[in-house]
Amino acid sequence: MKTQHSTNPADSDPVRARAIRRLHQKMGVQAHVLVYLLANLTQVIVWWAYTPDQFFWPLWSILGWGIGLIFHVWAVYAGSGLDEARIAQEMGRIERTGPAQD
């Protein structure tokens, strides 16, 4: 009977797996920014070519999609998830203040 052994080093190293996951998240943000810029640039060019004297309608896409893009960047780069430093900080706060009244 054969036993299956994983040849993926990420399976045995949780730090490597976490690093790979973070790199994938960062690549996702980069792709999102690129698509955002290209799509909105295309809309601005279409607006400029056909209706430059009318309301700047690409504004709605730029603002709406931009809000979503900001949240995506925030989720990836501004500390999504818990890390040991945050956990230790919260534990210290709880120890200083005493039992919680949750």
Side-chain angles (χ1 to χ4, degrees):
M1 187 184 299
K2 292 184 180 180
T3 59
Q4 294 182 355
H5 293 284
S6 175
T7 58
N8 186 355
D11 292 340
S12 61
D13 187 0
V15 175
R16 178 178 168 82
R18 186 175 178 191
I20 290 170
R21 186 172 52 252
R22 291 285 297 155
L23 288 171
H24 280 289
Q25 290 173 341
K26 289 179 180 183
M27 288 171 49
V29 168
Q30 292 169 351
H32 192 173
V33 169
L34 179 64
V35 171
Y36 172 82
L37 292 173
L38 292 175
N40 285 302
L41 178 63
T42 301
Q43 290 182 36
V44 170
I45 290 170
V46 168
W47 168 82
W48 181 74
Y50 293 104
T51 58
D53 56 339
Q54 306 223 351
F55 177 74
F56 184 66
W57 52 264
L59 176 68
W60 302 117
S61 173
I62 292 168
L63 291 178
W65 191 350
I67 291 169
L69 180 59
I70 288 168
F71 281 118
H72 188 181
V73 169
W74 185 347
V76 172
Y77 288 100
S80 62
L82 299 174
D83 58 4
E84 289 303 317
R86 285 185 178 180
I87 293 169
Q89 181 181 12
E90 185 64 16
M91 288 173 62
R93 187 190 66 76
I94 291 170
E95 289 171 354
R96 284 190 309 273
T97 60
Q101 302 294 328
D102 293 336

mmCIF file of all heavy atoms in Angstrom, residues 39-81:
data_model
loop_
_atom_site.group_PDB
_atom_site.id
_atom_site.type_symbol
_atom_site.label_atom_id
_atom_site.label_comp_id
_atom_site.label_asym_id
_atom_site.label_seq_id
_atom_site.Cartn_x
_atom_site.Cartn_y
_atom_site.Cartn_z
ATOM 1 N N ALA A 39 -9.909 50.196 -17.492
ATOM 2 C CA ALA A 39 -11.340 50.320 -17.768
ATOM 3 C C ALA A 39 -11.796 51.774 -17.669
ATOM 4 O O ALA A 39 -12.538 52.259 -18.535
ATOM 5 C CB ALA A 39 -12.143 49.440 -16.808
ATOM 6 N N ASN A 40 -11.345 52.466 -16.642
ATOM 7 C CA ASN A 40 -11.776 53.847 -16.487
ATOM 8 C C ASN A 40 -11.112 54.769 -17.502
ATOM 9 O O ASN A 40 -11.734 55.725 -17.968
ATOM 10 C CB ASN A 40 -11.555 54.320 -15.051
ATOM 11 C CG ASN A 40 -12.594 53.735 -14.126
ATOM 12 O OD1 ASN A 40 -13.785 53.928 -14.320
ATOM 13 N ND2 ASN A 40 -12.157 52.982 -13.135
ATOM 14 N N LEU A 41 -9.882 54.485 -17.875
ATOM 15 C CA LEU A 41 -9.243 55.253 -18.942
ATOM 16 C C LEU A 41 -10.002 55.075 -20.252
ATOM 17 O O LEU A 41 -10.231 56.051 -20.996
ATOM 18 C CB LEU A 41 -7.782 54.829 -19.102
ATOM 19 C CG LEU A 41 -7.013 55.524 -20.228
ATOM 20 C CD1 LEU A 41 -6.914 57.023 -19.963
ATOM 21 C CD2 LEU A 41 -5.626 54.914 -20.371
ATOM 22 N N THR A 42 -10.423 53.862 -20.539
ATOM 23 C CA THR A 42 -11.212 53.600 -21.744
ATOM 24 C C THR A 42 -12.513 54.396 -21.722
ATOM 25 O O THR A 42 -12.902 55.001 -22.727
ATOM 26 C CB THR A 42 -11.511 52.091 -21.869
ATOM 27 O OG1 THR A 42 -10.277 51.379 -21.918
ATOM 28 C CG2 THR A 42 -12.331 51.794 -23.108
ATOM 29 N N GLN A 43 -13.176 54.437 -20.575
ATOM 30 C CA GLN A 43 -14.422 55.198 -20.472
ATOM 31 C C GLN A 43 -14.185 56.693 -20.668
ATOM 32 O O GLN A 43 -14.982 57.372 -21.326
ATOM 33 C CB GLN A 43 -15.087 54.947 -19.120
ATOM 34 C CG GLN A 43 -15.645 53.563 -18.982
ATOM 35 C CD GLN A 43 -16.345 53.373 -17.655
ATOM 36 O OE1 GLN A 43 -16.992 54.291 -17.150
ATOM 37 N NE2 GLN A 43 -16.222 52.181 -17.101
ATOM 38 N N VAL A 44 -13.094 57.200 -20.115
ATOM 39 C CA VAL A 44 -12.781 58.627 -20.287
ATOM 40 C C VAL A 44 -12.493 58.930 -21.747
ATOM 41 O O VAL A 44 -12.940 59.956 -22.277
ATOM 42 C CB VAL A 44 -11.606 59.040 -19.368
ATOM 43 C CG1 VAL A 44 -11.106 60.437 -19.717
ATOM 44 C CG2 VAL A 44 -12.021 58.963 -17.908
ATOM 45 N N ILE A 45 -11.793 58.046 -22.426
ATOM 46 C CA ILE A 45 -11.498 58.251 -23.850
ATOM 47 C C ILE A 45 -12.790 58.239 -24.665
ATOM 48 O O ILE A 45 -12.979 59.080 -25.545
ATOM 49 C CB ILE A 45 -10.493 57.188 -24.356
ATOM 50 C CG1 ILE A 45 -9.111 57.445 -23.740
ATOM 51 C CG2 ILE A 45 -10.421 57.185 -25.882
ATOM 52 C CD1 ILE A 45 -8.100 56.344 -23.971
ATOM 53 N N VAL A 46 -13.688 57.302 -24.372
ATOM 54 C CA VAL A 46 -14.978 57.248 -25.076
ATOM 55 C C VAL A 46 -15.775 58.524 -24.808
ATOM 56 O O VAL A 46 -16.340 59.125 -25.728
ATOM 57 C CB VAL A 46 -15.784 55.989 -24.675
ATOM 58 C CG1 VAL A 46 -17.217 56.062 -25.168
ATOM 59 C CG2 VAL A 46 -15.090 54.737 -25.195
ATOM 60 N N TRP A 47 -15.814 58.955 -23.556
ATOM 61 C CA TRP A 47 -16.522 60.199 -23.222
ATOM 62 C C TRP A 47 -15.927 61.376 -23.995
ATOM 63 O O TRP A 47 -16.649 62.167 -24.591
ATOM 64 C CB TRP A 47 -16.424 60.478 -21.717
ATOM 65 C CG TRP A 47 -16.872 61.859 -21.362
ATOM 66 C CD1 TRP A 47 -18.143 62.285 -21.181
ATOM 67 C CD2 TRP A 47 -16.042 63.003 -21.178
ATOM 68 N NE1 TRP A 47 -18.162 63.622 -20.884
ATOM 69 C CE2 TRP A 47 -16.867 64.088 -20.878
ATOM 70 C CE3 TRP A 47 -14.662 63.210 -21.236
ATOM 71 C CZ2 TRP A 47 -16.378 65.363 -20.637
ATOM 72 C CZ3 TRP A 47 -14.167 64.473 -20.988
ATOM 73 C CH2 TRP A 47 -15.026 65.535 -20.696
ATOM 74 N N TRP A 48 -14.604 61.472 -23.995
ATOM 75 C CA TRP A 48 -13.918 62.585 -24.654
ATOM 76 C C TRP A 48 -14.131 62.550 -26.168
ATOM 77 O O TRP A 48 -14.315 63.603 -26.798
ATOM 78 C CB TRP A 48 -12.429 62.533 -24.320
ATOM 79 C CG TRP A 48 -11.649 63.644 -24.943
ATOM 80 C CD1 TRP A 48 -11.637 64.957 -24.576
ATOM 81 C CD2 TRP A 48 -10.764 63.537 -26.055
ATOM 82 N NE1 TRP A 48 -10.802 65.662 -25.389
ATOM 83 C CE2 TRP A 48 -10.243 64.809 -26.313
ATOM 84 C CE3 TRP A 48 -10.348 62.474 -26.867
ATOM 85 C CZ2 TRP A 48 -9.343 65.063 -27.333
ATOM 86 C CZ3 TRP A 48 -9.455 62.734 -27.880
ATOM 87 C CH2 TRP A 48 -8.967 64.012 -28.102
ATOM 88 N N ALA A 49 -14.147 61.362 -26.756
ATOM 89 C CA ALA A 49 -14.291 61.231 -28.206
ATOM 90 C C ALA A 49 -15.714 61.531 -28.678
ATOM 91 O O ALA A 49 -15.911 62.060 -29.773
ATOM 92 C CB ALA A 49 -13.878 59.823 -28.650
ATOM 93 N N TYR A 50 -16.729 61.195 -27.867
ATOM 94 C CA TYR A 50 -18.105 61.294 -28.348
ATOM 95 C C TYR A 50 -18.934 62.384 -27.671
ATOM 96 O O TYR A 50 -19.825 62.945 -28.321
ATOM 97 C CB TYR A 50 -18.817 59.942 -28.183
ATOM 98 C CG TYR A 50 -18.235 58.887 -29.089
ATOM 99 C CD1 TYR A 50 -17.392 57.896 -28.591
ATOM 100 C CD2 TYR A 50 -18.511 58.897 -30.448
ATOM 101 C CE1 TYR A 50 -16.843 56.942 -29.422
ATOM 102 C CE2 TYR A 50 -17.968 57.939 -31.284
ATOM 103 C CZ TYR A 50 -17.133 56.959 -30.766
ATOM 104 O OH TYR A 50 -16.588 56.023 -31.595
ATOM 105 N N THR A 51 -18.708 62.660 -26.403
ATOM 106 C CA THR A 51 -19.566 63.635 -25.715
ATOM 107 C C THR A 51 -18.776 64.545 -24.779
ATOM 108 O O THR A 51 -19.128 64.696 -23.601
ATOM 109 C CB THR A 51 -20.658 62.906 -24.907
ATOM 110 O OG1 THR A 51 -20.013 62.034 -23.970
ATOM 111 C CG2 THR A 51 -21.611 62.143 -25.786
ATOM 112 N N PRO A 52 -17.726 65.202 -25.266
ATOM 113 C CA PRO A 52 -16.911 66.018 -24.358
ATOM 114 C C PRO A 52 -17.644 67.243 -23.809
ATOM 115 O O PRO A 52 -17.254 67.784 -22.778
ATOM 116 C CB PRO A 52 -15.721 66.435 -25.223
ATOM 117 C CG PRO A 52 -16.229 66.375 -26.619
ATOM 118 C CD PRO A 52 -17.235 65.250 -26.636
ATOM 119 N N ASP A 53 -18.690 67.671 -24.487
ATOM 120 C CA ASP A 53 -19.423 68.855 -24.038
ATOM 121 C C ASP A 53 -20.561 68.496 -23.075
ATOM 122 O O ASP A 53 -21.275 69.373 -22.611
ATOM 123 C CB ASP A 53 -19.975 69.619 -25.241
ATOM 124 C CG ASP A 53 -20.840 68.744 -26.131
ATOM 125 O OD1 ASP A 53 -20.693 67.506 -26.062
ATOM 126 O OD2 ASP A 53 -21.645 69.298 -26.894
ATOM 127 N N GLN A 54 -20.726 67.222 -22.776
ATOM 128 C CA GLN A 54 -21.793 66.776 -21.884
ATOM 129 C C GLN A 54 -21.217 66.398 -20.520
ATOM 130 O O GLN A 54 -20.015 66.457 -20.306
ATOM 131 C CB GLN A 54 -22.511 65.587 -22.505
ATOM 132 C CG GLN A 54 -23.002 65.914 -23.896
ATOM 133 C CD GLN A 54 -24.387 65.415 -24.144
ATOM 134 O OE1 GLN A 54 -24.943 64.690 -23.353
ATOM 135 N NE2 GLN A 54 -24.947 65.827 -25.262
ATOM 136 N N PHE A 55 -22.112 65.996 -19.629
ATOM 137 C CA PHE A 55 -21.708 65.615 -18.280
ATOM 138 C C PHE A 55 -20.633 64.525 -18.322
ATOM 139 O O PHE A 55 -20.692 63.598 -19.133
ATOM 140 C CB PHE A 55 -22.930 65.116 -17.490
ATOM 141 C CG PHE A 55 -22.605 64.639 -16.114
ATOM 142 C CD1 PHE A 55 -22.303 65.540 -15.108
ATOM 143 C CD2 PHE A 55 -22.573 63.285 -15.827
ATOM 144 C CE1 PHE A 55 -21.988 65.100 -13.831
ATOM 145 C CE2 PHE A 55 -22.264 62.833 -14.560
ATOM 146 C CZ PHE A 55 -21.972 63.753 -13.552
ATOM 147 N N PHE A 56 -19.677 64.607 -17.419
ATOM 148 C CA PHE A 56 -18.575 63.642 -17.338
ATOM 149 C C PHE A 56 -19.070 62.353 -16.682
ATOM 150 O O PHE A 56 -18.853 62.080 -15.504
ATOM 151 C CB PHE A 56 -17.414 64.259 -16.555
ATOM 152 C CG PHE A 56 -16.190 63.397 -16.495
ATOM 153 C CD1 PHE A 56 -15.450 63.107 -17.636
ATOM 154 C CD2 PHE A 56 -15.764 62.866 -15.288
ATOM 155 C CE1 PHE A 56 -14.324 62.316 -17.572
ATOM 156 C CE2 PHE A 56 -14.642 62.076 -15.201
ATOM 157 C CZ PHE A 56 -13.917 61.796 -16.353
ATOM 158 N N TRP A 57 -19.771 61.538 -17.467
ATOM 159 C CA TRP A 57 -20.395 60.331 -16.932
ATOM 160 C C TRP A 57 -19.424 59.262 -16.432
ATOM 161 O O TRP A 57 -19.801 58.445 -15.577
ATOM 162 C CB TRP A 57 -21.378 59.726 -17.935
ATOM 163 C CG TRP A 57 -20.835 59.500 -19.312
ATOM 164 C CD1 TRP A 57 -20.950 60.329 -20.386
ATOM 165 C CD2 TRP A 57 -20.081 58.372 -19.762
ATOM 166 N NE1 TRP A 57 -20.314 59.795 -21.474
ATOM 167 C CE2 TRP A 57 -19.777 58.583 -21.122
ATOM 168 C CE3 TRP A 57 -19.639 57.203 -19.152
ATOM 169 C CZ2 TRP A 57 -19.036 57.679 -21.875
ATOM 170 C CZ3 TRP A 57 -18.901 56.292 -19.893
ATOM 171 C CH2 TRP A 57 -18.622 56.537 -21.241
ATOM 172 N N PRO A 58 -18.164 59.200 -16.873
ATOM 173 C CA PRO A 58 -17.251 58.207 -16.275
ATOM 174 C C PRO A 58 -17.008 58.429 -14.785
ATOM 175 O O PRO A 58 -16.506 57.544 -14.094
ATOM 176 C CB PRO A 58 -15.949 58.378 -17.064
ATOM 177 C CG PRO A 58 -16.368 58.970 -18.360
ATOM 178 C CD PRO A 58 -17.533 59.851 -18.039
ATOM 179 N N LEU A 59 -17.391 59.591 -14.299
ATOM 180 C CA LEU A 59 -17.220 59.896 -12.888
ATOM 181 C C LEU A 59 -17.880 58.846 -11.997
ATOM 182 O O LEU A 59 -17.330 58.451 -10.971
ATOM 183 C CB LEU A 59 -17.812 61.273 -12.588
ATOM 184 C CG LEU A 59 -17.804 61.717 -11.134
ATOM 185 C CD1 LEU A 59 -16.372 61.960 -10.677
ATOM 186 C CD2 LEU A 59 -18.643 62.967 -10.969
ATOM 187 N N TRP A 60 -19.061 58.357 -12.393
ATOM 188 C CA TRP A 60 -19.780 57.388 -11.568
ATOM 189 C C TRP A 60 -19.001 56.085 -11.422
ATOM 190 O O TRP A 60 -18.933 55.512 -10.333
ATOM 191 C CB TRP A 60 -21.178 57.125 -12.132
ATOM 192 C CG TRP A 60 -21.969 58.378 -12.222
ATOM 193 C CD1 TRP A 60 -22.465 58.966 -13.351
ATOM 194 C CD2 TRP A 60 -22.338 59.246 -11.142
ATOM 195 N NE1 TRP A 60 -23.108 60.132 -13.038
ATOM 196 C CE2 TRP A 60 -23.048 60.328 -11.681
ATOM 197 C CE3 TRP A 60 -22.120 59.223 -9.773
ATOM 198 C CZ2 TRP A 60 -23.551 61.365 -10.908
ATOM 199 C CZ3 TRP A 60 -22.618 60.250 -8.991
ATOM 200 C CH2 TRP A 60 -23.328 61.302 -9.562
ATOM 201 N N SER A 61 -18.419 55.638 -12.498
ATOM 202 C CA SER A 61 -17.612 54.420 -12.445
ATOM 203 C C SER A 61 -16.331 54.650 -11.654
ATOM 204 O O SER A 61 -15.930 53.806 -10.842
ATOM 205 C CB SER A 61 -17.272 53.958 -13.861
ATOM 206 O OG SER A 61 -16.363 52.888 -13.836
ATOM 207 N N ILE A 62 -15.701 55.784 -11.884
ATOM 208 C CA ILE A 62 -14.453 56.096 -11.184
ATOM 209 C C ILE A 62 -14.691 56.147 -9.677
ATOM 210 O O ILE A 62 -13.922 55.563 -8.900
ATOM 211 C CB ILE A 62 -13.859 57.417 -11.713
ATOM 212 C CG1 ILE A 62 -13.386 57.235 -13.164
ATOM 213 C CG2 ILE A 62 -12.731 57.904 -10.821
ATOM 214 C CD1 ILE A 62 -13.048 58.529 -13.881
ATOM 215 N N LEU A 63 -15.747 56.818 -9.254
ATOM 216 C CA LEU A 63 -16.030 56.929 -7.814
ATOM 217 C C LEU A 63 -16.526 55.614 -7.215
ATOM 218 O O LEU A 63 -16.026 55.171 -6.172
ATOM 219 C CB LEU A 63 -17.054 58.037 -7.565
ATOM 220 C CG LEU A 63 -16.586 59.464 -7.822
ATOM 221 C CD1 LEU A 63 -17.726 60.438 -7.590
ATOM 222 C CD2 LEU A 63 -15.386 59.812 -6.969
ATOM 223 N N GLY A 64 -17.507 54.997 -7.842
ATOM 224 C CA GLY A 64 -18.072 53.766 -7.296
ATOM 225 C C GLY A 64 -17.070 52.638 -7.213
ATOM 226 O O GLY A 64 -16.899 51.994 -6.173
ATOM 227 N N TRP A 65 -16.399 52.397 -8.317
ATOM 228 C CA TRP A 65 -15.407 51.330 -8.352
ATOM 229 C C TRP A 65 -14.218 51.709 -7.477
ATOM 230 O O TRP A 65 -13.616 50.858 -6.823
ATOM 231 C CB TRP A 65 -14.978 51.108 -9.791
ATOM 232 C CG TRP A 65 -14.171 49.891 -10.070
ATOM 233 C CD1 TRP A 65 -13.593 49.029 -9.179
ATOM 234 C CD2 TRP A 65 -13.842 49.404 -11.365
ATOM 235 N NE1 TRP A 65 -12.929 48.036 -9.851
ATOM 236 C CE2 TRP A 65 -13.062 48.249 -11.201
ATOM 237 C CE3 TRP A 65 -14.126 49.826 -12.653
ATOM 238 C CZ2 TRP A 65 -12.562 47.524 -12.271
ATOM 239 C CZ3 TRP A 65 -13.633 49.098 -13.721
ATOM 240 C CH2 TRP A 65 -12.865 47.955 -13.522
ATOM 241 N N GLY A 66 -13.891 52.984 -7.432
ATOM 242 C CA GLY A 66 -12.778 53.447 -6.604
ATOM 243 C C GLY A 66 -12.992 53.143 -5.136
ATOM 244 O O GLY A 66 -12.050 52.791 -4.414
ATOM 245 N N ILE A 67 -14.228 53.280 -4.668
ATOM 246 C CA ILE A 67 -14.532 52.941 -3.269
ATOM 247 C C ILE A 67 -14.250 51.462 -3.020
ATOM 248 O O ILE A 67 -13.623 51.091 -2.028
ATOM 249 C CB ILE A 67 -15.987 53.305 -2.932
ATOM 250 C CG1 ILE A 67 -16.163 54.822 -2.921
ATOM 251 C CG2 ILE A 67 -16.410 52.700 -1.593
ATOM 252 C CD1 ILE A 67 -17.603 55.282 -2.863
ATOM 253 N N GLY A 68 -14.697 50.613 -3.924
ATOM 254 C CA GLY A 68 -14.419 49.184 -3.781
ATOM 255 C C GLY A 68 -12.935 48.883 -3.826
ATOM 256 O O GLY A 68 -12.439 48.038 -3.067
ATOM 257 N N LEU A 69 -12.208 49.580 -4.690
ATOM 258 C CA LEU A 69 -10.765 49.381 -4.785
ATOM 259 C C LEU A 69 -10.066 49.799 -3.495
ATOM 260 O O LEU A 69 -9.161 49.116 -3.012
ATOM 261 C CB LEU A 69 -10.205 50.170 -5.972
ATOM 262 C CG LEU A 69 -8.708 50.064 -6.213
ATOM 263 C CD1 LEU A 69 -8.295 48.627 -6.456
ATOM 264 C CD2 LEU A 69 -8.310 50.946 -7.393
ATOM 265 N N ILE A 70 -10.501 50.903 -2.906
ATOM 266 C CA ILE A 70 -9.927 51.352 -1.638
ATOM 267 C C ILE A 70 -10.119 50.293 -0.558
ATOM 268 O O ILE A 70 -9.195 49.982 0.206
ATOM 269 C CB ILE A 70 -10.523 52.704 -1.213
ATOM 270 C CG1 ILE A 70 -9.992 53.807 -2.125
ATOM 271 C CG2 ILE A 70 -10.217 53.009 0.247
ATOM 272 C CD1 ILE A 70 -10.715 55.127 -1.991
ATOM 273 N N PHE A 71 -11.319 49.717 -0.481
ATOM 274 C CA PHE A 71 -11.565 48.672 0.513
ATOM 275 C C PHE A 71 -10.703 47.432 0.255
ATOM 276 O O PHE A 71 -10.237 46.780 1.196
ATOM 277 C CB PHE A 71 -13.040 48.289 0.562
ATOM 278 C CG PHE A 71 -13.872 49.260 1.341
ATOM 279 C CD1 PHE A 71 -14.888 49.967 0.733
ATOM 280 C CD2 PHE A 71 -13.642 49.467 2.689
ATOM 281 C CE1 PHE A 71 -15.659 50.861 1.451
ATOM 282 C CE2 PHE A 71 -14.405 50.357 3.423
ATOM 283 C CZ PHE A 71 -15.411 51.066 2.801
ATOM 284 N N HIS A 72 -10.490 47.094 -1.010
ATOM 285 C CA HIS A 72 -9.648 45.950 -1.343
ATOM 286 C C HIS A 72 -8.214 46.209 -0.896
ATOM 287 O O HIS A 72 -7.582 45.348 -0.259
ATOM 288 C CB HIS A 72 -9.710 45.683 -2.841
ATOM 289 C CG HIS A 72 -9.043 44.416 -3.266
ATOM 290 N ND1 HIS A 72 -8.971 44.023 -4.563
ATOM 291 C CD2 HIS A 72 -8.398 43.448 -2.572
ATOM 292 C CE1 HIS A 72 -8.323 42.878 -4.655
ATOM 293 N NE2 HIS A 72 -7.959 42.506 -3.452
ATOM 294 N N VAL A 73 -7.679 47.389 -1.209
ATOM 295 C CA VAL A 73 -6.317 47.735 -0.794
ATOM 296 C C VAL A 73 -6.212 47.726 0.731
ATOM 297 O O VAL A 73 -5.252 47.194 1.296
ATOM 298 C CB VAL A 73 -5.905 49.112 -1.376
ATOM 299 C CG1 VAL A 73 -4.608 49.608 -0.752
ATOM 300 C CG2 VAL A 73 -5.781 49.036 -2.888
ATOM 301 N N TRP A 74 -7.201 48.285 1.385
ATOM 302 C CA TRP A 74 -7.197 48.340 2.844
ATOM 303 C C TRP A 74 -7.182 46.926 3.439
ATOM 304 O O TRP A 74 -6.442 46.633 4.380
ATOM 305 C CB TRP A 74 -8.409 49.110 3.331
ATOM 306 C CG TRP A 74 -8.453 49.333 4.815
ATOM 307 C CD1 TRP A 74 -7.689 48.732 5.783
ATOM 308 C CD2 TRP A 74 -9.313 50.215 5.503
ATOM 309 N NE1 TRP A 74 -8.035 49.192 7.020
ATOM 310 C CE2 TRP A 74 -9.028 50.108 6.881
ATOM 311 C CE3 TRP A 74 -10.315 51.090 5.098
ATOM 312 C CZ2 TRP A 74 -9.700 50.839 7.840
ATOM 313 C CZ3 TRP A 74 -10.976 51.813 6.066
ATOM 314 C CH2 TRP A 74 -10.666 51.696 7.412
ATOM 315 N N ALA A 75 -8.007 46.063 2.888
ATOM 316 C CA ALA A 75 -8.090 44.695 3.407
ATOM 317 C C ALA A 75 -6.757 43.958 3.295
ATOM 318 O O ALA A 75 -6.400 43.163 4.167
ATOM 319 C CB ALA A 75 -9.178 43.921 2.679
ATOM 320 N N VAL A 76 -6.013 44.232 2.238
ATOM 321 C CA VAL A 76 -4.756 43.504 2.031
ATOM 322 C C VAL A 76 -3.584 44.167 2.750
ATOM 323 O O VAL A 76 -2.776 43.488 3.372
ATOM 324 C CB VAL A 76 -4.460 43.372 0.517
ATOM 325 C CG1 VAL A 76 -3.073 42.798 0.273
ATOM 326 C CG2 VAL A 76 -5.518 42.503 -0.144
ATOM 327 N N TYR A 77 -3.494 45.488 2.692
ATOM 328 C CA TYR A 77 -2.305 46.167 3.200
ATOM 329 C C TYR A 77 -2.456 46.760 4.599
ATOM 330 O O TYR A 77 -1.460 47.030 5.248
ATOM 331 C CB TYR A 77 -1.876 47.277 2.238
ATOM 332 C CG TYR A 77 -1.283 46.736 0.972
ATOM 333 C CD1 TYR A 77 -2.038 46.659 -0.192
ATOM 334 C CD2 TYR A 77 0.023 46.283 0.940
ATOM 335 C CE1 TYR A 77 -1.499 46.159 -1.349
ATOM 336 C CE2 TYR A 77 0.572 45.773 -0.212
ATOM 337 C CZ TYR A 77 -0.191 45.717 -1.361
ATOM 338 O OH TYR A 77 0.344 45.213 -2.508
ATOM 339 N N ALA A 78 -3.652 46.992 5.073
ATOM 340 C CA ALA A 78 -3.811 47.676 6.362
ATOM 341 C C ALA A 78 -4.133 46.710 7.488
ATOM 342 O O ALA A 78 -4.960 46.980 8.333
ATOM 343 C CB ALA A 78 -4.887 48.755 6.246
ATOM 344 N N GLY A 79 -3.493 45.596 7.489
ATOM 345 C CA GLY A 79 -3.611 44.706 8.628
ATOM 346 C C GLY A 79 -4.852 43.853 8.654
ATOM 347 O O GLY A 79 -5.541 43.812 9.657
ATOM 348 N N SER A 80 -5.145 43.213 7.564
ATOM 349 C CA SER A 80 -6.261 42.277 7.607
ATOM 350 C C SER A 80 -5.828 41.044 8.387
ATOM 351 O O SER A 80 -4.757 40.524 8.204
ATOM 352 C CB SER A 80 -6.688 41.891 6.189
ATOM 353 O OG SER A 80 -5.634 41.237 5.536
ATOM 354 N N GLY A 81 -6.659 40.624 9.268
ATOM 355 C CA GLY A 81 -6.342 39.442 10.050
ATOM 356 C C GLY A 81 -5.629 39.788 11.336
ATOM 357 O O GLY A 81 -5.274 40.927 11.603
#
